[in-house]
Amino acid sequence: MPLSPPTLRRLEKAALTAAKSAHAPYSQFRVGAAVLAGSGKIYTGCNVENASFGLSNCAERTAIFSAVAAGEQKIRCVVVYTPSLHATPPCGACRQVINEFGPQARVIAVCRSGERIDTTLDALLPGAFGPGNLSD
Ligand code: THU
């Protein structure tokens, strides 16, 4: 079902606000994400970096893990805000995590210039490995 313009505006605003909580002392790249879950609720996340760099978590995964921790099992839309001139799609790890809960999800990237990407998880990760592959 297509998302209404007010819902999209709420998601974009929530992603922008979430970026303010980013813990990004190493990259200075403060990212925020908002996901629309199956219940209709919005969950947010920011990137959380670590002095042991490889342990850093992207904003998208933080938001999805918050949704799942609250009992959600379906992700309908992911919006990511990056403080860049060009809109930035989710990294490969985040695409795989989105696939777990939202193989049909819409994925939108917004940034400070107003440029945007509006696409789908399927377009970003075609032929994804997912839960179904374990029960063939
Ligand atoms: N990052 C995200 O949180 N989401 C993205 O879509 C791209 C990258 C974070 C990871 C790291 O903390 C910083 O941005 C630089 O890569």
Side-chain angles (χ1 to χ4, degrees), residues 85-130:
L85 284 178
H86 297 291
T88 304
C91 77
C94 288
R95 294 177 196 198
Q96 182 67 31
V97 171
I98 295 167
N99 182 68
E100 184 79 10
F101 301 101
Q104 317 287 336
R106 185 165 164 187
V107 179
I108 296 171
V110 295
C111 64
R112 68 183 159 83
S113 71
E115 186 179 291
R116 58 194 286 125
I117 296 169
D118 191 339
T119 185
T120 62
L121 191 275
D122 188 52
L124 291 172
L125 192 66
F129 174 83

Side-chain angles (χ1 to χ4, degrees), residues 27 29 31 47 49 56-60 80 82 88-91:
S27 72
F29 197 62
V31 185
N47 53 334
E49 297 182 350
S56 300
N57 204 59
C58 292
E60 297 93 316
V80 58
T82 53
T88 304
C91 77

